[in-house]
């Protein structure tokens, strides 16, 4: 009898426990807006201020109180004077004379105050010529200039040197205050601080003020391949800009030299760096290159690549001005570079870096508060350990859950499988919605509504992703009120399933050696921590108490992921204004979906705890529809005058197409304005330019008969935008911009080989395209042989520019034909000359055409020409 009563008591107790466990009480719906508002406030109050936090600008008065520190005020004053020179284009007097003399004057002043008893200071103005393969283009430069300063400790026992590089030239029409005059004045102030005060140095420091980076990347190639100091360079700090001030991001390191990251981590004052940025840049997601590539590929030199990215809307425009740079930027970047230079100039690894080449590093900053870095091997161990811990924790949770609820484990595993399928379906639905919206907006010619108004991203991509992830489980839980798991357990199992999915993704990324796997590891690691706390405290059995450790453990991941998301938008949203080949909506939508999968999967399911959860989640879907409507209205027009302009190039050009050589019949000749939009909305100005005006679009030339469709291509960056370009007939431009072609000699090397010796003279920027005809093959030429050896697809592209010496370019071409019959043309050659400086040559007609563009359009304009021959 006693045994029976005891059994009945246990059953009653278990029944009472089951009643408590299966209590499906919910939180009032009116708490949901407060829940959402809390995370919004966390983002706006903590994350955004952390991203923009910069130190106070130090003045000359501060230096008197504490000598030897970086003085941002002095750097600011120097940039003001440098930017007053105006645009500094290679070949212009502003770049080759005024800017060079300005730098030499500043360096002389610094040398006059330097501790010559401690340091030897040498300076040099390098003038160099050369050619090399960049992308698929042969980059030919002639008499470009670099200003170089070398600081060595007295009685140095080593010739090893650290190189610090930035450039003082600019793109046409821009003063280059941010890109990269800012970095040049930082270098000058670092040079001053090091040489004026007693700074211990073990190795030499070379300051390279590069005079031809925008051309592109010619000055760095000239230095690293030809300067006598180059062989002693063991590491480089490359400084550039993709915006106008702000925190400089370290987006490339090494490669394969983790010791550099150790010094960065130990000495940087205001960290801003991420492995994610490095992998994005190195895999072509950033439509740009820096001198770092040249030092790495042609000098085999490891280094750190750093750039300022704030306000990228003004990058390479006339709006890149001194007054737009935040004053505190000078202090932040200056303190970082000074500390880093001091550390690396005394690093023992600099003597022989090859001894310390031992793999990659994983690195990231946590909201700028502190910096985390560790070797890739350590990262693999951490990632795998966390993955294993996740699996053990989930199995342990289900085991305990079975004991607490009295349910068979196989039934719980079945429920877990159902919830995993629901989570996959919810994530899939969210991704499908995001991609569908991205494709739809591009298809109806409404991309980039978020370009100047970033808040559009919330409704277009955050909301549909949250809606998809939330509505599927909300419907499921609403239909399982009388059977199935308790609501609290069900929501926790749902989040476990997402954690398991991310764990599998992490394991796959580790197997493919993707270092950015750390970003998912943080997500699952902090979630697993909250689960373990709840299991230890048994809070997971309660209706709501488990939410306390859960939400606390989500605070840091939420801030970290939204910080990464915000940084991504700051960098990549302005970049889409100069990218036309890919759908920018896909990039923004995909990245947003990825971030939501990291910061929201353990928050969105909590909506199911509120009454009217389906209605709450549906509000995100309604918000999406509203924002799509906004995208089709003037509310979301992408562009804004000065702050977020749409970019165009316009070249006033004359075109002449010849049937044969220079003396042959002209098949076509015209003149007018070549217009090239550079983003995904190329037709925004069509109505303004061509309705109720005298301007018309010309019929596109047959791109099969004319190289580059008969358009005057300026650089390799233009090649991808040819399809969106057009020609507007107009009067002929002024003279002095047309290159001339002279055949110096034509000799038969054999029955199947012919050599042409050619000479080109003309403006200081000329594009040359060469296309073999009639089954001939270009087998040799006087340029670098890489394009021929690598079987680069014709037409071959040669970009030629000169700075000081206008000497004509002479080169030879050798063609091979299997048949000794050489009847017909051997090759076609097109020359595009460009006068990209000296506005005085722009005609009044061209100025009137440019004035037709709306205020929100930024037009880079100059004179050009297109001439083609068949030889």
């Amino acid at each position: 009898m006693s045994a029976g009563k005891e059994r009945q008591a246990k059953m009653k107790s278990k029944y009472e426990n089951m009643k408590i466990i299966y209590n499906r009480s919910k939180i009032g719906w009116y708490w949901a807006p407060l829940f959402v508002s809390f995370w919004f406030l966390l983002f706006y109050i903590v994350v955004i201020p952390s991203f923009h936090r910069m130190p106070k600008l130090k003045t000359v008065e501060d230096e008197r109180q504490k000598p030897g520190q970086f003085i941002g005020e002095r750097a600011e004053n120097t940039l003001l004077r440098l930017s007053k020179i105006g645009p500094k284009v290679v070949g212009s007097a502003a770049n080759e004379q005024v800017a060079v003399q300005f730098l030499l004057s500043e360096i002389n002043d610094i040398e006059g105050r330097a501790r010559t008893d401690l340091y030897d200071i040498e300076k040099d103005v390098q003038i160099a010529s050369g050619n090399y393969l960049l992308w698929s283009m042969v980059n030919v430069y002639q008499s470009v200039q670099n200003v170089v300063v070398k600081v060595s400790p007295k009685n140095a026992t080593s010739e090893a040197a650290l190189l610090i590089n930035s450039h003082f030239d600019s793109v046409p029409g821009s003063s280059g205050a941010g890109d990269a005059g800012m970095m040049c004045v930082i270098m000058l102030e670092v040079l001053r601080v090091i040489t004026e005060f007693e700074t211990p140095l073990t190795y030499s420091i070379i300051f390279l003020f590069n005079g031809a980076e925008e051309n592109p990347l010619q000055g760095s190639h000239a230095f690293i391949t030809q300067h006598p100091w180059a062989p002693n360079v063991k590491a480089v700090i490359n400084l550039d800009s993709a915006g106008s001030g702000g925190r400089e991001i370290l987006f490339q390191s090494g490669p394969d030299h983790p010791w550099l990251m150790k010094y960065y981590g130990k000495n940087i004052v205001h960290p801003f760096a991420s492995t994610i940025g490095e992998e994005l840049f190195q895999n072509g997601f950033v439509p740009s290159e820096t001198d770092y590539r040249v030092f790495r590929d042609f000098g085999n030199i490891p280094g750190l690549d750093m750039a300022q990215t704030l306000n990228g809307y003004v990058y390479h425009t006339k709006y890149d001005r001194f007054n737009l740079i935040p004053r505190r930027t000078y202090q932040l970047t200056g303190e970082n570079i000074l500390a880093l230079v001091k550390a690396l100039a005394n690093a023992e690894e600099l003597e022989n870096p090859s001894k310390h080449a031992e793999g990659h590093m994983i690195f990231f900053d946590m909201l700028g508060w502190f910096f985390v870095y560790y070797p890739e091997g350590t990262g693999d161990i951490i990632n795998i350990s966390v993955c294993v811990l996740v699996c053990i924790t989930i199995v342990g949770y289900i085991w305990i859950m079975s004991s607490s609820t009295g349910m068979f484990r196989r039934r719980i595993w079945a429920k877990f499988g159902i919830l995993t399928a629901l989570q996959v379906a919810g994530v899939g639905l969210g991704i499908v919605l995001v991609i569908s919206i991205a494709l739809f907006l591009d298809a109806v010619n409404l991309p980039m509504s978020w370009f100047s108004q970033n808040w559009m991203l919330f409704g277009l991509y955050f909301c549909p992703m949250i809606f998809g992830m939330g509505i599927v489980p909300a419907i499921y839980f609403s239909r399982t009120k009388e059977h199935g798991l308790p609501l609290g357990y069900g929501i926790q199992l749902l989040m476990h399933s997402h954690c398991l999915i991310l764990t599998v993704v992490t394991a796959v990324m580790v197997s493919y050696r993707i270092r950015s796997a750390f970003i998912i590891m943080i997500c699952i690691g902090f979630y697993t921590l909250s689960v373990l706390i709840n299991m230890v405290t048994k809070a997971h059995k309660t209706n709501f108490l488990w939410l306390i450790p859960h939400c606390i453990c989500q605070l840091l991941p939420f801030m970290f992921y939204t910080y990464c998301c915000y940084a991504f938008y700051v960098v990549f949203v302005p970049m889409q204004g100069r990218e036309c080949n890919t759908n920018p909506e896909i990039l923004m939508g995909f990245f947003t979906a990825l971030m939501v999968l990291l910061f929201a999967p353990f928050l969105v399911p909590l909506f199911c705890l509120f009454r009217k959860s389906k209605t709450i989640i549906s509000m995100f879907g309604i918000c999406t529809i509203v924002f799509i409507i906004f995208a089709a209205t003037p509310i979301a027009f992408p562009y804004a005058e000065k702050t977020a302009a749409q970019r165009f190039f316009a070249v006033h050009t004359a075109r002449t197409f010849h049937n044969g050589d220079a003396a042959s019949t002209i098949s076509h000749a015209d003149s007018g304005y070549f217009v090239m939009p550079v983003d995904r909305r190329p037709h925004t100005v069509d109505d303004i330019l061509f309705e109720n005006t005298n301007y018309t679009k010309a019929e596109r030339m047959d791109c099969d008969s004319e190289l580059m469709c008969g358009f005057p291509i300026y650089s390799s960056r233009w090649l991808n935008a040819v399809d969106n370009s057009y020609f507007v007939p107009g009067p002929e431009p002024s003279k002095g911009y047309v290159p001339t072609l002279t055949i110096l000699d034509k000799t038969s090397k054999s029955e199947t080989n012919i050599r042409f010796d050619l000479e080109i003279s003309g403006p200081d920027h000329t594009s040359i395209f060469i296309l073999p005809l009639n089954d001939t093959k270009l087998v040799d030429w006087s340029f670098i042989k890489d394009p021929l050896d690598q079987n680069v697809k014709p037409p071959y592209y040669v970009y030629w520019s000169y700075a000081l010496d206008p000497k004509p370019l002479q080169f030879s071409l050798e063609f091979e034909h299997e048949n000794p019959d050489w009847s017909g043309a051997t090759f076609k050659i097109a020359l595009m000359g460009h006068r990209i400086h000296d506005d005085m040559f722009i005609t009044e007609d061209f100025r009137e055409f440019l004035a037709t563009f709306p205020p929100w359009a930024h037009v880079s304009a100059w004179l050009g020409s297109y001439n083609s021959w068949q030889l």
Side-chain angles (χ1 to χ4, degrees), residues 613-818:
S613 58
K614 290 184 292 184
T615 303
I616 294 170
I617 294 170
S618 296
M619 295 303 296
F620 289 96
I622 294 172
C623 185
T624 300
I625 296 172
V626 172
F627 273 67
I628 292 175
I629 295 172
F630 281 171
T633 67
I635 294 174
F637 185 69
Y639 311 110
E641 185 179 359
K642 295 183 180 180
T643 57
Q646 184 178 21
R647 298 165 186 251
F648 293 85
F649 288 101
V651 181
H652 193 182
T653 185
R655 305 188 297 180
T656 306
F657 310 141
H658 298 84
N659 284 330
D661 60 26
S664 300
T665 305
I666 295 176
S667 61
H668 178 83
D670 63 13
S671 61
Y673 315 118
F674 168 62
V675 179
M676 189 179 77
V678 295
D679 70 9
R680 196 67 174 183
R681 296 182 74 147
H683 303 295
T684 52
V685 299
D686 285 6
D687 292 344
I688 299 171
L689 290 183
F690 305 117
E691 287 191 8
N692 302 319
T693 69
N694 296 323
Y695 303 114
T696 59
K697 273 189 182 181
E699 292 292 327
R700 178 183 282 270
M701 295 295 300
D702 184 356
C703 295
D704 293 330
S705 63
E706 281 302 325
L707 295 171
M708 299 300 110
C709 303
F711 291 149
I713 299 300
Y714 167 62
S715 76
S716 61
R717 296 169 181 168
W718 289 28
L719 298 179
N720 295 330
V722 167
D723 291 341
N724 292 327
S725 304
Y726 49 88
F727 193 78
V728 179
E732 189 170 327
S734 58
K735 303 297 182 181
Y737 57 92
V738 181
T740 60
L741 174 68
T742 304
I743 303 175
L744 301 177
D745 193 18
K746 179 181 178 181
T747 57
S748 176
K749 305 286 289 186
S750 67
E751 289 187 349
T752 57
N753 288 68
I754 288 181
R755 170 176 165 147
F756 289 82
D757 292 311
L758 305 175
E759 180 181 273
I760 295 174
S761 60
D764 46 31
H765 294 77
T766 300
S767 291
I768 307 166
F769 287 87
I770 300 167
L771 178 66
L773 299 175
N774 300 319
D775 297 323
T776 61
K777 181 180 180 181
L778 180 63
V779 294
D780 196 13
W781 64 359
S782 51
F783 304 117
I784 188 169
K785 304 299 188 292
D786 289 0
L788 308 182
D789 297 338
Q790 297 174 14
N791 295 317
V792 171
K793 184 180 178 180
Y796 300 100
Y797 180 23
V798 178
Y799 176 77
W800 171 51
S801 66
Y802 59 82
L804 293 176
D805 184 4
K807 181 177 65 176
L809 175 67
Q810 295 184 355
F811 61 98
S812 63
L813 305 172
E814 183 176 337
F815 295 92
E816 183 179 76
H817 194 267
E818 292 183 359

Side-chain angles (χ1 to χ4, degrees), residues 35-64:
F35 177 74
V36 174
S37 299
F38 169 79
W39 299 101
F40 266 100
L41 287 173
L42 190 64
F43 173 67
Y44 281 102
I45 294 175
V46 178
V47 176
I48 293 181
S50 294
F51 181 86
H52 291 286
R53 186 177 67 249
M54 292 186 282
K56 181 181 177 182
L57 185 76
K58 291 183 179 177
T59 65
V60 176
E61 184 62 33
D62 294 318
E63 184 180 43
R64 296 191 183 98

